[in-house]
């Protein structure tokens, strides 16, 4: 085998490996985006249901103090849920990026 053939084989092998890595990386990003979308859809639905429930409670209040209490409870719960959701999404994005780069890490570690 000549030097030219060896070089050509190495280029072909590297090109195939690069394409395979890119494909696996793209698949991981796609799975990650789908998971984030599903998570956000569920969170949005729950948030809407909580807001609707709170509004219904406010319609039946007998005093200003009761309205303030209901609104305060809702605000506290909504804030805590939002912080928890943003933390979860941050972890999901971190995992997605980590998984997307795994095929390339394996290549570069060789």
């Amino acid at each position: 085998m000549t030097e030219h053939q060896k070089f050509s084989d190495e280029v072909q092998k590297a090109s195939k490996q690069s394409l395979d890595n890119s494909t696996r990386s793209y698949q991981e990003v796609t799975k990650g985006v789908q998971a984030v979308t599903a998570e956000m859809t569920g969170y949005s639905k729950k948030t809407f249901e909580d807001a609707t429930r709170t509004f219904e409670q406010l319609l039946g209040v007998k005093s200003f103090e009761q309205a303030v209490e209901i609104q305060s409870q809702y605000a506290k719960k909504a804030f805590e849920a939002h912080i928890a959701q943003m933390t979860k999404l941050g972890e999901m994005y971190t995992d997605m990026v980590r998984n997307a780069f795994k095929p390339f890490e394996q290549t570069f570690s060789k």
Side-chain angles (χ1 to χ4, degrees):
M1 185 177 273
T2 67
E3 287 295 317
H4 180 69
Q5 288 172 324
K6 287 180 185 178
F7 179 74
S8 179
D9 289 346
E10 287 179 26
V11 168
Q12 285 179 341
K13 181 180 174 184
S15 295
K16 181 183 180 323
Q17 188 173 20
S18 178
L19 180 61
D20 291 345
N21 289 343
S22 296
T23 301
R24 285 195 303 269
S25 179
Y26 181 75
Q27 289 170 342
E28 289 298 327
V29 170
T30 301
K31 286 192 298 189
V33 169
Q34 288 173 342
V36 167
T37 301
E39 183 65 33
M40 285 306 299
T41 300
Y43 175 70
S44 296
K45 181 180 176 186
K46 184 181 180 319
T47 300
F48 180 77
E49 291 169 352
D50 290 345
T52 302
R53 195 175 314 110
T54 300
F55 181 72
E56 289 171 351
Q57 289 175 343
L58 287 171
L59 290 176
V61 298
K62 304 282 189 240
S63 67
F64 178 74
E65 290 80 17
Q66 189 181 15
V68 169
E69 179 64 28
I70 290 170
Q71 187 62 29
S72 295
Q73 288 174 357
Y74 170 74
K76 181 181 178 194
K77 183 179 176 184
F79 176 76
E80 290 171 353
H82 180 74
I83 295 300
Q85 187 66 27
M86 293 305 108
T87 301
K88 185 173 185 177
L89 286 174
E91 291 168 357
M92 291 176 79
Y93 279 115
T94 300
D95 290 344
M96 178 178 63
V97 171
R98 189 174 292 129
N99 291 336
F101 281 103
K102 275 184 184 175
F104 297 105
E105 287 176 355
Q106 292 168 355
T107 298
F108 294 127
S109 67
K110 291 179 182 178

